[in-house]
Amino acid sequence: MKKWIQRLPLLPLCASGFLCGIICCLFLGQADSALVPESLRLLRGEIPDSKSLLPCVCWSRGKWIAGLGILATTYLAPAACGGAAIWMGWSFGAFSCAAFSNYGIKGLLLIFASIFPQWLFYGPGFYFWLEWCMELYLGVSHRCALHKKIA
């Protein structure tokens, strides 16, 4: 069985998702609904429980990481990794567009300042996780192809 994909271009997929996120946010009117000052004031009034915040964040991030790891062993790995790269770019583009449309350049600078330390690890970590998933997929599909040739 021939593999239908050799290497997945993750960075161009992420960049195209970024542009699609900006376009969707601008033309579909989503820029005015996100990061509205009234909703941010309401959010500031809610104090999260500090003991349940870390498990909640680990669960919300961990289920997607584990799901991609499981899908990397199947033939759905290119679609899952490509979709995850597009989604990551789209979400960052839409969030940046909403910050710019509501607060201008100040909003963009505040967004980049607020996510700066964690994105030093989160962005490259997510990229290398997708690369590892694609390498695992190529290894598993190559091994399956070798077993079919021998049998």
Side-chain angles (χ1 to χ4, degrees), residues 7-21 81-90 127 130-131:
R7 291 300 296 161
L8 193 65
L10 293 175
L11 289 178
L13 285 174
C14 192
S16 65
F18 179 76
L19 292 175
C20 287
C81 290
I86 290 171
W87 175 75
M88 187 60 97
W90 181 87
Y127 174 75
L130 290 178
E131 284 288 332

Side-chain angles (χ1 to χ4, degrees), residues 92-109:
F92 186 64
F95 193 61
S96 299
C97 182
F100 182 75
S101 68
N102 285 320
Y103 302 107
I105 296 293
K106 178 179 69 171
L108 279 180
L109 294 176

Side-chain angles (χ1 to χ4, degrees), residues 21-151:
I22 290 174
I23 290 169
C24 287
C25 193
L26 285 175
F27 293 120
L28 296 178
Q30 298 296 320
D32 295 334
S33 64
L35 298 176
V36 178
E38 291 83 26
S39 65
L40 291 178
R41 278 190 210 102
L42 289 174
L43 215 97
R44 185 176 52 187
E46 295 179 15
I47 299 172
D49 182 22
S50 62
K51 292 183 181 186
S52 66
L53 187 60
L54 182 63
C56 179
V57 169
C58 289
W59 171 249
S60 66
R61 298 288 186 236
K63 65 183 174 187
W64 293 105
I65 291 170
L68 278 173
I70 291 169
L71 284 176
T73 60
T74 67
Y75 285 106
L76 295 174
C81 290
I86 290 171
W87 175 75
M88 187 60 97
W90 181 87
S91 62
F92 186 64
F95 193 61
S96 299
C97 182
F100 182 75
S101 68
N102 285 320
Y103 302 107
I105 296 293
K106 178 179 69 171
L108 279 180
L109 294 176
L110 286 173
I111 293 296
F112 291 131
S114 66
I115 65 172
F116 174 69
Q118 68 187 11
W119 269 94
L120 284 177
F121 302 103
Y122 188 62
F126 187 75
Y127 174 75
F128 288 124
W129 178 252
L130 290 178
E131 284 288 332
W132 181 82
C133 286
M134 286 306 298
E135 287 296 322
L136 181 64
Y137 160 72
L138 291 174
V140 167
S141 63
H142 180 67
R143 192 175 78 194
C144 289
L146 284 178
H147 281 288
K148 288 181 181 178
K149 281 184 180 180
I150 293 173

